Amino acid sequence: MPFLIDGLQYINWSERIFTQMREGGVDAVHVTIAYHETFRETVYRLQEWNQRFQDFPHLIRRATSAADIRAAQAENRTAILFGLQTATPIEDDIGLIEILHQMGVRIMQLTYNNQSLLATGCYEAEDPGLTRFGRQAVAEMNRTGLVVDLSHTAERSTLDAIATSTRPVTISHANPDWWHPARRNKSDVVLRALTGAGGMLGLSLYPHHLQGGSACTLKSFCDMAAEVASRYGAAHIGIGSDLCQDQPDSVVDWMRMGRWSKTRDYGEGSAAAPGFPPMPLWFRDNRDFGNIRAGLAAAGFSAAEVDGIMGDNWLRFYESAFVPA
Amino acid sequence: MPFLIDGLQYINWSERIFTQMREGGVDAVHVTIAYHETFRETVYRLQEWNQRFQDFPHLIRRATSAADIRAAQAENRTAILFGLQTATPIEDDIGLIEILHQMGVRIMQLTYNNQSLLATGCYEAEDPGLTRFGRQAVAEMNRTGLVVDLSHTAERSTLDAIATSTRPVTISHANPDWWHPARRNKSDVVLRALTGAGGMLGLSLYPHHLQGGSACTLKSFCDMAAEVASRYGAAHIGIGSDLCQDQPDSVVDWMRMGRWSKTRDYGEGSAAAPGFPPMPLWFRDNRDFGNIRAGLAAAGFSAAEVDGIMGDNWLRFYESAFVPA
């Protein structure tokens, strides 16, 4: 049976959401547990997940491997994979990379919008590429099996990380900038390098990444996916919905400003539209993946390609990426 | 009475050292309490200093202002000023700048050798200048009275910080690269910008910063000081000895590698000479400032200029720099 996997969500988790996941047949979700959290705060997030696994064992299970995802499907549960959208949890300490992997974290962005100790984020004015610590950190992530995610990394740092990494990396949630120019969307050069090195692109459904925003049509999205497949290969595509369901607007402020800013930063929003934009009507929550599946088929993908994009490609990627080198 | 102030030391502190400070008539020392420490670890360092103040009240006193330094001189004690050689203690959190100032910290480097969240260190291959967080952090340091120290910052970030700061900044321990080319010594452009903006240069006695290294002569050092005065003004010069007395070689490893590196980094040293180099014979410890005082007079400085370089310039700088804007 094909797998349904979402390559990135950040939801205000609840039984209602987990039930929606089951209704939508979602086998696995890569969930973000940190945007700006310190190491200790990240451990709190893991503690909260442990409580959820204890509270809702019929709906979800902790997952750190492709085997766990397979088991989840067999058990009619949704597998929860942990990822960080920031390198803040490793602080200045390379030893925390292996510790985080041992605690079950499987994916880490090198930076979230700003300059990190490892690399440059896509909101900085300039991008000098990986830092001294960044080169060592990528090597350590490769060694331990912590996947490098470059979704919020600036162009040069992204290319530098792809070239430095000895294992395939991911851009878990973004779209091509040739479809919709946006600071967070990626250039053809980056997408060629990513996929050429065996990496995975998770197509984003966050309205700021969509042509036409919240009004983007399913056809436009799926036609874009077809062009991505034609340029880079359908085997390198998944979904990374960036679904932020049930979150208050204060959470978008946390994402954008963390604790680093004393002044308001609107990120991909604006003063006129500071909060979360509404999702497209054809993808409101975890029950709507069927619309995308149908849209991809209508856009000309084969059944096997659709299965790949909807989850099998992520599963294959995770299978090799999550284990030590 | 003129003041004797050392603009930077990192010593393995003990009663023996504090006694040497009194023997040398040292009125105040800016002591480093963090190279790579987290916020909590920095608080431990402050706790250790509180214990020392309790144990040796006849030798040292805590100081957070120029008035404390004046009081220390009147009481025949040495004033201890706290500084950080790294921005690690503020983590990703701009609010920790004011907290650290409230805890008595008065000086902070924007970065130590590597890329930080604020700026680029002098060992990185490239230097894009202050980051988004860096610009906000400099403004917050200006507001609170936490002095910006650029000793280990790369050239462009240094110039950027000098231009961004609305208050004079310091390079607490370095020499001109036109006297001794070294990665840590500073260009004429930087020194002109620093002093032109009212900033202070602390001349370093760390052998890797000296012409001829450990064999550097007192005359060479004082002639350099005279040329610095001629180019930038004697009022902008102090001493920042960088004295690392009684430290084991493991401490130089901590300085160079912190926790960010899994491979050996020799910093200003080399595989052949990995440890602390021996100090010049004319400046072995806190009892030897008289040699420098005499050397400066011999190099042609007036008595008032010598007093300024030996401490009065630092006192004047601290007087205005340590208070909120």
Side-chain angles (χ1 to χ4, degrees), chain B residues 14 32 74 102 109 149 156-157 173 175 229 246 251 255 269 278 302:
Chain B
S14 65
T32 294
Q102 288 164 339
Q109 288 211 49
D149 187 348
R156 183 175 161 194
S157 285
H173 56 303
N175 293 322
D246 286 1
V251 164
M255 292 174 182
S302 72

Side-chain angles (χ1 to χ4, degrees), chain B residues 232-272:
Chain B
Y232 319 116
H236 297 289
I237 314 173
I239 301 294
S241 72
D242 210 1
L243 191 62
C244 290
Q245 209 179 342
D246 286 1
Q247 297 284 22
D249 281 354
S250 59
V251 164
V252 80
D253 284 345
W254 169 247
M255 292 174 182
R256 290 170 181 166
M257 293 181 286
R259 302 183 177 105
W260 65 272
S261 182
K262 294 198 79 156
T263 58
R264 197 74 189 275
D265 185 271
Y266 293 108
E268 296 171 289
S270 62

Side-chain angles (χ1 to χ4, degrees), chain A residues 187-211:
Chain A
S187 73
D188 182 69
V189 170
V190 159
L191 295 176
R192 265 182 217 288
L194 170 80
T195 52
M200 276 288 291
L201 171 67
L203 297 177
S204 169
L205 291 151
Y206 189 59
H208 289 308
H209 307 156
L210 299 177
Q211 192 178 75

Side-chain angles (χ1 to χ4, degrees), chain A residues 88 92 126 132 156 261-262, chain B residues 88 92 114 126 136 156:
Chain A
T88 301
D92 295 31
E126 294 192 42
R132 299 213 295 167
R156 182 175 162 193
S261 181
K262 295 197 80 157
Chain B
T88 301
D92 294 30
N114 281 9
E126 294 193 42
Q136 292 218 24
R156 183 175 161 194

Side-chain angles (χ1 to χ4, degrees), chain B residues 22 51 54 87 93 100-101 105 114 131 138 143-144 147 155 168 172 195 203 205 213-214 237 243 263 283-284:
Chain B
R22 295 318 311 143
Q51 188 63 51
Q54 202 175 333
D93 190 347
L100 284 162
H101 191 273
V105 176
N114 281 9
T131 65
V138 167
R143 187 182 75 82
T144 54
V147 173
E155 174 109 355
S172 66
T195 54
L203 298 176
L205 291 149
S214 300
I237 314 173
L243 191 62
T263 58
F283 188 77
R284 293 159 304 180

Side-chain angles (χ1 to χ4, degrees), chain A residues 88 92-94 114-115 117 123-124 126 128 131-133 136 140 156 259-263 265, chain B residues 88 92-94 114-115 117 123-124 126 128 131-133 136 140 156 259-263 265:
Chain A
T88 301
D92 295 31
D93 190 347
I94 197 165
N114 281 8
Q115 176 70 46
L117 299 178
Y123 278 82
E124 295 286 354
E126 294 192 42
T131 65
R132 299 213 295 167
F133 183 18
Q136 292 218 24
E140 180 69 354
R156 182 175 162 193
R259 301 182 177 105
W260 65 272
S261 181
K262 295 197 80 157
T263 58
D265 184 90
Chain B
T88 301
D92 294 30
D93 190 347
I94 198 165
N114 281 9
Q115 177 70 48
L117 299 178
Y123 278 82
E124 295 287 354
E126 294 193 42
T131 65
R132 298 211 298 167
F133 184 18
Q136 292 218 24
E140 180 69 355
R156 183 175 161 194
R259 302 183 177 105
W260 65 272
S261 182
K262 294 198 79 156
T263 58
D265 185 271

Side-chain angles (χ1 to χ4, degrees), chain B residues 170-221:
Chain B
T170 189
I171 292 173
S172 66
H173 56 303
N175 293 322
D177 68 2
W178 45 254
W179 178 59
H180 177 59
R183 201 184 286 246
R184 274 272 288 102
N185 283 339
K186 303 301 174 188
S187 74
D188 183 68
V189 170
V190 160
L191 295 175
R192 265 181 219 288
L194 171 79
T195 54
M200 277 287 294
L201 171 67
L203 298 176
S204 169
L205 291 149
Y206 189 60
H208 288 307
H209 307 158
L210 299 176
Q211 193 179 73
S214 300
C216 178
T217 65
L218 176 61
K219 182 175 187 310
S220 173
F221 179 80

Side-chain angles (χ1 to χ4, degrees), chain A residues 117-182:
Chain A
L117 299 178
L118 310 183
T120 306
C122 60
Y123 278 82
E124 295 286 354
E126 294 192 42
D127 173 12
L130 291 186
T131 65
R132 299 213 295 167
F133 183 18
R135 292 186 187 285
Q136 292 218 24
V138 168
E140 180 69 354
M141 291 171 77
N142 286 164
R143 186 181 76 81
T144 54
L146 187 62
V147 173
V148 173
D149 186 348
L150 299 165
S151 298
H152 288 251
T153 306
E155 173 110 356
R156 182 175 162 193
S157 286
T158 301
L159 293 170
D160 206 359
I162 293 168
T164 299
S165 180
T166 57
R167 303 177 70 178
V169 303
T170 188
I171 292 173
S172 65
H173 56 305
N175 293 322
D177 68 2
W178 45 254
W179 178 59
H180 177 58

